[in-house]
Amino acid sequence: MSGRLDQVVEQIGLRWNGAVRPSPNLAHDAVCQIECPSEQLGEVCNWLFSEQDYSFGGLIVEQQKHWHLRYVFYGGAHAGWIHLTTSLPGGESQLPSISRLIHAADWHEREVEDLYGLSFEGHPRLGDFVLHNDVFHEGIAPMLKNFNGSEPVTDRSPDTNWRPRRIVEEIGAFAMPIGPIHSTGTAPVYFQLETVGEDVIRAQPRLFYAYRGLEKIAEGRRADDVLLIAERISGTSAFAHSLALCQSVERLCQVAVPRRASTLRILIAELERLRHHISAIAGICESTGLAVAAAHASILEEELLRISGALTGHRYLFGLNVFGGLSMDLEDTRCSLAAEAVANVSDRLDTLQAMLSTSSSFLDRLEEVGVIEFPDARDFGLVGPVARASGLSRDLRNAQPYCGYDRIEFLVPHESEGDGYARLRLLFREAQQSTRIISAIAKSLPAGQCRTPEWGLRPGAALGWVEAPGGAALHWLRLGEQGVVERYRIITPSFANWHGFRLAAENFAFQDFPIILATFALSVHENDR
Amino acid sequence: MTNWVIKGLRTGVKSTRYPRAEETAAGCSPGLPAATRLPSDLAEMIVARCPTGALERSLEGVDVDLRRCVHCFRCTRGSNCTVDWSGGYDWAGFATERTGAFGPPFGRSLHILVVDTGDCGACLSEVKQLNNPYYNMHRLGFFLTPTPRHADVLLVVGALTEQMRLPLRKAYDAMPTPKRVVAAGACALSGGVFGRSFICSGGVGEFLPVDVEVPGNPPPPLAILHGLMVVAGRKPPASLYRRVENSSADEPR
């Protein structure tokens, strides 16, 4: 275990003098679980977040005999993971909100309130969130164990008078309703943009039209069938999410993944990151109306899809990850061929970047637009490229290495301006790093098996994490007897970044809105689950 | 700006020759399982491995319901025995005989409204690829439109969630007649991996009259293009079921 984590745990013990009890580690190292009474929760969370530079990972709720709530924090290198746990005795369903101290927990508490019916004292805005009140009444809590998830809800009693709230009161104030079906081929999301003249004063997205209840339908299924669900949280980062689930199972069952498999996993994960970033770049070019650049970027995106398809059999890398390794071995020669093709794509991406950086009409639309300052990025717990463009440089690949990322040389770029152009530059720089990793791995693939043959599932719970293309993704899996899933919690980067998106859109002109949205590279499907 | 013009010209023509000729580039399609002749004990084992019930036992082997396949590759990458796997992408077929394809007036100008009713993002991404220079569906007279008022075809992707029912119904009702519905992807056809639940339906067909179904999870761009060609009446539909030849159940639907 790392020294930094020990120190922090010791200090917690001293400061809260006995009330807070560290308990034995989970099945893996670098994780400390601390029991904390609900009254002290806010203080301890705030201390970790504000004074000890821990990031808030997310909130995991489990319904057993009592309610168990788990607040997950992770730090930088050697600071490990801290799980603050608290229990509510049977019958109670209210606990203090921590959102006033840690704004990053805001949406987590809203989600728990909506899906579990738990109430957070002091939270300013609970109610209509995941389940829309104009479809389901407020009393429905689908994540409760006694809720039948396989049948449609018969008694919905929706609030037919429900309308999105307007808060801007001003002469000339106008509410622009956009969505949930809007533009050509976009994911379902509703925006109410409240404008006064040119400027968007308030931009609150209404999400969860694509809520598929994945956490609920996973319960009771076999673990390897849940892997199929993990791939379909977000099809454009399927490999990252299936990898996170694989790692939680492998950590729980203490399966040693062969070196060859984990190295190949890095190669595929970086291929996916590269494709995700190029897709985002294409989106940014398109939003500014720069058609040639958009076409060029989408050529590169399609080529990467074909490279993925030719190498792994599936353009979106479905069906490749299995517990204990990969479902098929990727031969060395094919990996080098793919790496060569990727290097070719990357060269042309560099040309595109050079051309974009001298197109003044393009830059005018991005520079100093959609700015997120460092303190805001931190308060809202933003993750991934969006956070790194605002100077928050945490990346799970080097902060909490997995798959052997610690054996690989790469940089985690960051920018400081936090505007649209910083986010674009960051995408380009990360894409270069991914290419570098792919080339380096393809040259020196370790020999051996690509799957661990003999091992068994065992009951228990573990956390798996990856730096998905969009940022930190955390998967918490609890297995019961015979490999049946009891609880599957999916914390996605888009959930964190959608929460902060309005910061960037507000107080900028209405015509900048689609561009700001494109620079965030948000996934609705990943958020909605 | 001249740089961009030159860049565009230098890139040259990238478009596929489909539908005039077959597209043979690697990585265009994940393929689908083929009906396979197998002894009954092996067939039973393989059918049990399929998580979505896409494989069915027949007298002489394994039949495939393409609408249910989610490309998990368990029937082809597992140990012991495997089914045959076939590439290609001309997968789209008629869902019902009620409406059929559009006639000639629509053949070369079809306006399409895409509605995502809760997919994972992969189907939507493949629809987006149709506008990239490789597939460039404008050359075939297919255009995406943002408004139902201009749309001839409603292209639905994703498992239909409860919260998207009303928007989908409104979009469909706002379309002028004649109109057709194309459902693309295993989730829209059969519920896919998610299946029927408190929030997802078992396919869009339960809610809207679907005309053309495009299998795949996600269907590759060429398969979606085939679906649009089928609904426009410019390509013959494929069978959505693959059956072992000479078996007694050999009747195309």
Side-chain angles (χ1 to χ4, degrees), chain A residues 30-108:
Chain A
V31 174
C32 189
Q33 184 171 319
I34 300 173
E35 247 180 79
C36 180
S38 63
E39 306 82 54
Q40 253 127 17
L41 206 59
E43 279 174 50
V44 183
C45 287
N46 191 31
W47 181 76
L48 279 175
F49 186 79
S50 309
E51 291 181 33
Q52 300 299 315
D53 194 32
Y54 274 79
S55 303
F56 178 63
L59 170 57
I60 300 164
V61 176
E62 290 183 271
Q63 185 188 13
Q64 289 156 357
K65 255 187 223 145
H66 303 295
W67 289 104
H68 288 278
L69 286 90
R70 182 178 294 271
Y71 296 75
V72 179
F73 289 83
Y74 60 93
H78 309 299
W81 295 79
I82 294 183
H83 293 200
L84 288 177
T85 60
T86 192
S87 305
L88 285 184
E92 268 188 53
S93 63
Q94 196 178 43
L95 71 162
S97 160
I98 64 161
S99 310
R100 285 194 183 273
L101 298 167
I102 300 177
H103 195 57
D106 173 20
W107 276 19
H108 283 274

Side-chain angles (χ1 to χ4, degrees), chain A residues 69-197:
Chain A
L69 286 90
R70 182 178 294 271
Y71 296 75
V72 179
F73 289 83
Y74 60 93
H78 309 299
W81 295 79
I82 294 183
H83 293 200
L84 288 177
T85 60
T86 192
S87 305
L88 285 184
E92 268 188 53
S93 63
Q94 196 178 43
L95 71 162
S97 160
I98 64 161
S99 310
R100 285 194 183 273
L101 298 167
I102 300 177
H103 195 57
D106 173 20
W107 276 19
H108 283 274
E109 291 186 346
R110 285 181 71 184
E111 183 183 345
V112 169
E113 191 270 346
D114 213 17
L115 298 182
Y116 282 93
L118 293 182
S119 175
F120 292 90
E121 202 181 340
H123 194 294
R125 196 172 166 214
L126 297 173
D128 177 86
F129 187 56
V130 177
L131 296 180
H132 295 171
N133 284 9
D134 48 354
V135 180
F136 297 103
H137 72 81
E138 195 48 50
I140 294 176
M143 289 303 290
L144 293 180
K145 288 283 181 201
N146 62 6
F147 179 91
N148 179 1
S150 57
E151 295 292 327
V153 183
T154 44
D155 174 29
R156 297 180 198 192
S157 333
D159 175 6
T160 45
N161 292 319
W162 188 91
R163 295 289 176 275
R165 226 166 35 139
R166 279 184 70 168
I167 58 169
V168 179
E169 286 177 18
E170 181 71 47
I171 297 167
F174 188 78
M176 202 94 69
I178 301 175
I181 299 169
H182 64 101
S183 187
T184 51
T186 44
V189 52
Y190 174 88
F191 296 102
Q192 177 165 281
L193 303 184
E194 292 188 65
T195 61
V196 177

